[in-house]
Amino acid sequence: MPVSNIDEGGCLRVDDWEDFDAGTQLNELMNLCCEMDDGGSSHGGALLEANEVDGETADLKQGGLVECPLCGIDITDLSDELRQIHTNNCLDKVETLEVADPISEMKSNSSEGVVDISPVTQWLQSLGLSKYKDIFVKEEINWETLQCLTEEDLLSIGIDALGPRKKIVHALNELRRRNHLPDTDKNISSAANVGNIKPHFPGNKLITEYFQGSVADRHSVRNHNKPLNGRITKDSIRKRKPTRKTVSKGKVREIPPWCCIPGTPFRVDAFRYLRGDCSHWFLTHFHMDHYQGLNKNFYHGKIYCSSITAHLVNMKIGVPWDRLQILPLNQKITVAGVGLTCLHANHCPGSIIILFEPPNGKAVLHTGDFRFSREMANNAVLQSCHIHTLILDTTYCNPQYDFPKQEAVVQFVIEAIQAEAFNPKTLFLIGSYTIGKERLYLEVARILRQKIYVGAAKLQLLRHLELSEEEMQWFTANEMESHIHVVPLWTLASFKRMRYISNQYSARYDLIVAFSPTGWACGKGKKRPPGKRWQQGTMIRYEVPYSEHCSFTELKEFVRLVTPEHIIPSVNNNGPESADAMIALLMSES
C-alpha cells in the first residue's frame, strides 16, 4: 500500500483550470454522460461528480450556455442528472446498427432512450409529494419499478423523513392491492385512480445502465449486479434462495451467507440488509455492488474499512467520520472479542481481504473482490492460519476464464501503443472504472514516460487514493499535454460509442486506438493472446483481458494455499447446486 499522500483539501484549485481546455466538445460529452463515480453506482450516495470541482459546479459553458454536444439543444436549465439523461437519449436515438451490440438487442422494442417516469411523478403529485420527484427521476423509477419498492429502498434513495415515507408505503400497498383491476383509461389524479392504471413504457433503458463506471453506476441503488454477460447475479441469488431472513415492517429480507461471518454477529458488504441485531458492518471496498444500501443517515453502529474506502464513503456518500473505523493493513487487532487481520486484496484502491478469528477458533477468511498475487502466496498470515471457512470471490469460477497475468497484459498494451504510434496524429484511449484499472494506465505512463490525461474530476478523485507524489506526477487535467487519455470503460463498448469521441477530435487526430481492459475479453474454452485487435475505418479497439479478479487458475491456486474446510462462493451462488458445482471445479485435480 503506498504511503498516504492525501491532500486534505482534496480538490483542484481555481488556478488549475487555467491549463484545462474546458471548452472542448469531448470534455462536454464526457462530463454529461460518462462515469462520475462505479463502484457502481456506482451502482447511491454515489461517486465523484465529473463536473464538480471544489464544491462548485464547473459547467462547461460558452457564454453562460450549456448545449448538448450531440444535438445542440440548450440544456442550461436542466439539472446535472437530466442533462445526462438527455445526452444518453441522444446517443441511443442517433446510433445505427453496425456491429453486434447487446444494448441494441435489449431495446429492440423501443425508439426512445429514456425511461418514462411521468406516471410516477404524477402519482407523487397526487400524494402531495412532488418535492421528491427529482429523486425518482434520478433513480429512473418507472411504473413497473415503483410497484417493487420497499420501505428500505425508499430509505436507500434518500427519502428519510418518516411521514412522507410512510405515506408512500401506504399508497404502494394500495397500488399493489388494486393492480389487478383492468381500468387503464383514467387520468392519474389520485392515489386511488393510480391503482387502476397500467401504462405502457418503452422497453429500453439508458445505455449507461449496462456499463460499470456509468451514470447508473454512480447513482443507482437498484442494481447489485456485476457485468455477468447473462450469468446469474448476486441480486437474483438473494431473491431466489433464502438463507438467513430479516423482517422489516412485515417484509422478509434475505441475508446471503457470504454477508455473514460464522461465529460472530458481523456483516460484510451487507448494507442492503441493515438490521438492529448487528452493530459491526464491514466494507471490503468502494464498489457499488458492495456498499449498495448505505447512505449518509447510517445509524446501525460502526462501518469498518480501509483508509481509502473510509475517505470515499465520507466524501461521496456523506457518512460522518464518527460512524467510520479505519482498519490497519497487516496488523492484527481485536473488535468485539474477534481477532481481525486485513490484507491488501489487489483489486481496486482500498480493497481488503479480512481474516476473522472468532472465539470459537474457527477462522473465517472473506476475500471480498480480489486477485491472487505473489505477495499473497508468501503472506505469513495465510500460510500459518488454519482457515475453517473461506468466503470466496468466484466471479470467474469457470475453466474458460484462464486469462494472463496483469503484467503480461500491461506489456501487451505498451507494445501495442508503440506499434500504433507511427502516425503522430493518433489518439490513444484507455478504458477505466472510476475506482479500478489505475495500475494499467499508471504503468503505461511510467514505462512510456508519457503523461496521461484523466480530466479534472478524475484527477481530484485520484488524489484521494493514497498514490505517491511520483505516481501522481503522471496525471494531467490538461488534454493538450497528452495523446493518451483515460475514459470511462463503457464508452469503448462498441465502435458506435467510439465514433462520438472520434468526431469530437477529428480536427486534431485522424486515428483512434482504444484499449478495453476487462476479464470478459478472455476467450471461452481456449487460451487467447493478451489482446485482440478490431478495426473499423479510422478506429481501432483492442480487447485486453486485464482483470482485477482472479482467473480460474488463480482461484484454484488460492484455494490450495489456504486449504479451507468449507467454501462459500460469493458470486453466481444460486444455492446448493451451483455452489457445489463451483467447489467441485475448484477442488478438481485437472
Side-chain angles (χ1 to χ4, degrees):
M1 175 66 66
V3 178
S4 175
N5 187 38
I6 295 179
D7 176 4
E8 289 299 286
C11 301
L12 286 175
R13 303 187 311 276
V14 174
D15 303 55
D16 291 329
W17 281 86
E18 292 179 358
D19 294 328
F20 180 53
D21 186 6
T24 65
Q25 289 282 359
L26 178 67
N27 277 293
E28 193 167 345
L29 175 62
M30 291 297 100
N31 280 331
L32 285 169
C33 62
C34 41
E35 67 169 1
M36 305 177 189
D37 42 15
D38 141 57
S41 146
S42 134
H43 287 317
L47 303 172
L48 187 65
E49 296 288 338
N51 59 352
E52 190 177 327
V53 179
D54 227 354
E56 297 179 0
T57 300
D59 285 333
L60 304 179
K61 299 183 178 181
Q62 296 292 343
L65 181 68
V66 178
E67 296 180 347
C68 172
L70 300 175
C71 70
I73 290 178
D74 180 6
I75 56 174
T76 307
D77 295 331
L78 297 182
S79 66
D80 289 341
E81 301 299 332
L82 292 178
R83 291 178 188 174
Q84 293 151 14
I85 290 173
H86 170 88
T87 309
N88 282 312
N89 188 24
C90 288
L91 284 172
D92 274 351
K93 286 194 295 186
V94 301
E95 287 178 351
T96 57
L97 184 61
E98 295 176 1
V99 293
D101 184 83
I103 307 307
S104 300
E105 297 173 8
M106 299 182 74
K107 65 179 188 176
S108 59
N109 294 326
S110 172
S111 60
E112 296 295 329
V114 178
V115 175
D116 182 5
I117 68 162
S118 56
V120 177
T121 58
Q122 292 177 32
W123 181 76
L124 287 170
Q125 184 177 3
S126 73
L127 298 176
L129 299 174
S130 295
K131 68 177 182 178
Y132 293 104
K133 69 178 182 179
D134 287 345
I135 294 177
F136 285 75
V137 169
K138 180 179 73 174
E139 301 301 336
E140 300 170 30
I141 297 173
N142 63 10
W143 189 254
E144 180 182 1
T145 305
L146 175 72
Q147 298 174 64
C148 301
L149 293 182
T150 65
E151 184 167 2
E152 185 177 272
D153 293 330
L154 296 175
L155 274 170
S156 297
I157 65 177
I159 301 179
D160 304 315
L162 180 62
R165 191 169 72 247
K166 289 297 184 183
K167 191 172 185 179
I168 292 174
V169 170
H170 176 73
L172 285 174
N173 289 336
E174 287 296 305
L175 182 62
R176 296 183 188 109
R177 184 174 64 83
R178 303 184 182 201
N179 202 37
H180 64 281
L181 297 178
D183 186 358
T184 61
D185 297 325
K186 296 181 181 179
N187 292 325
I188 300 177
S189 58
S190 67
N193 285 340
V194 171
N196 300 329
I197 298 177
K198 299 179 182 178
H200 173 73
F201 299 101
N204 64 313
K205 302 179 181 180
L206 294 179
I207 58 172
T208 53
E209 187 165 336
Y210 299 99
F211 301 93
Q212 286 192 359
S214 66
V215 175
D217 187 44
R218 294 169 38 236
H219 295 292
S220 170
V221 296
R222 65 193 177 279
N223 187 358
H224 189 62
N225 304 340
K226 291 179 179 293
L228 298 180
N229 293 352
R231 300 177 303 144
I232 300 168
T233 64
K234 290 181 182 178
D235 193 52
S236 62
I237 293 164
R238 293 193 182 99
K239 293 177 181 177
R240 297 178 186 179
K241 294 291 181 181
T243 50
R244 302 179 63 173
K245 297 180 180 179
T246 66
V247 178
S248 175
K249 304 298 181 182
K251 175 78 173 177
V252 174
R253 297 285 292 171
E254 305 158 3
I255 302 181
W258 52 86
C259 292
C260 306
I261 304 303
T264 79
F266 298 165
R267 302 283 186 270
V268 178
D269 298 340
F271 297 98
R272 296 187 68 214
Y273 308 93
L274 294 172
R275 54 183 289 183
D277 66 346
C278 177
S279 58
H280 300 82
W281 303 83
F282 293 80
L283 178 58
T284 59
H285 61 289
F286 196 72
H287 276 167
M288 180 57 198
D289 54 333
H290 292 258
Y291 70 73
Q292 184 177 8
L294 179 60
N295 62 44
K296 64 182 179 181
N297 298 311
F298 175 85
Y299 61 89
H300 293 273
K302 287 274 190 181
I303 299 171
Y304 297 80
C305 56
S306 69
S307 173
I308 291 176
T309 302
H311 279 85
L312 294 172
V313 168
N314 172 257
M315 177 178 68
K316 298 316 303 170
I317 299 181
V319 175
W321 277 108
D322 62 2
R323 298 289 182 185
L324 297 167
Q325 181 68 48
I326 294 176
L327 297 172
L329 282 174
N330 304 306
Q331 176 185 338
K332 186 173 181 178
I333 62 172
T334 301
V335 174
V338 178
L340 295 178
T341 306
C342 296
L343 310 174
H344 197 288
N346 193 32
H347 183 59
C348 68
S351 59
I352 54 175
I353 294 171
I354 310 176
L355 174 64
F356 298 89
E357 298 181 78
N360 63 12
K362 297 180 178 180
V364 180
L365 186 67
H366 197 301
T367 68
D369 287 349
F370 83 117
R371 181 149 192 191
F372 187 47
S373 64
R374 298 191 196 96
E375 290 74 19
M376 292 178 196
N378 298 324
N379 188 280
V381 174
L382 295 179
Q383 290 178 341
S384 61
C385 183
H386 175 69
I387 305 299
H388 181 270
T389 301
L390 172 63
I391 300 177
L392 181 66
D393 169 18
T394 47
T395 299
Y396 291 108
C397 189
N398 188 311
Q400 71 185 20
Y401 295 114
D402 192 16
F403 37 79
K405 299 291 185 182
Q406 288 178 332
E407 295 81 2
V409 181
V410 169
Q411 185 60 34
F412 175 86
V413 172
I414 291 171
E415 292 176 359
I417 290 176
Q418 292 172 326
E420 302 283 3
F422 62 89
N423 181 351
K425 296 183 68 176
T426 299
L427 174 65
F428 295 95
L429 305 175
I430 299 177
S432 171
Y433 301 141
T434 295
I435 305 294
K437 313 296 184 183
E438 293 81 6
R439 190 181 299 112
L440 172 60
Y441 54 83
L442 186 56
E443 279 298 291
V444 168
R446 188 178 63 82
I447 298 299
L448 296 180
R449 311 300 295 177
Q450 169 68 57
K451 280 195 172 187
I452 304 290
Y453 168 73
V454 295
K458 186 80 166 181
L459 183 61
Q460 182 185 4
L461 183 61
L462 289 168
R463 287 172 173 159
H464 289 81
L465 302 186
E466 299 184 1
L467 299 174
S468 67
E469 290 184 12
E470 192 278 332
E471 291 170 322
M472 287 299 298
Q473 72 171 334
W474 296 112
F475 304 131
T476 178
N478 181 357
E479 68 175 45
M480 303 301 293
E481 285 192 74
S482 176
H483 66 296
I484 306 176
H485 294 191
V486 171
V487 298
L489 186 59
W490 74 276
T491 63
L492 307 180
S494 72
F495 283 112
K496 292 185 290 182
R497 314 216 188 286
M498 287 175 57
R499 184 183 303 107
Y500 297 109
I501 298 177
S502 178
N503 290 341
Q504 306 308 324
Y505 273 132
S506 59
R508 290 170 51 195
Y509 299 101
D510 53 28
L511 182 65
I512 303 286
V513 178
F515 297 89
S516 181
T518 170
W520 305 118
C522 180
K524 297 185 178 182
K526 61 179 180 180
K527 291 187 177 181
R528 284 172 55 181
K532 185 169 183 178
R533 186 179 187 274
W534 304 83
Q535 183 166 1
Q536 188 176 102
T538 59
M539 297 177 294
I540 297 170
R541 186 175 80 245
Y542 284 89
E543 295 177 355
V544 292
Y546 181 89
S547 178
E548 291 172 334
H549 295 269
C550 289
S551 69
F552 177 71
T553 299
E554 290 165 342
L555 284 174
K556 294 189 68 172
E557 290 179 19
F558 187 75
V559 169
R560 282 196 295 267
L561 172 68
V562 301
T563 59
E565 293 185 32
H566 302 283
I567 299 176
I568 300 176
S570 65
V571 184
N572 302 326
N573 184 342
N574 193 35
E577 287 188 10
S578 58
D580 290 346
M582 285 187 281
I583 293 170
L585 285 171
L586 292 170
M587 303 302 293
S588 66
E589 295 298 326
S590 58

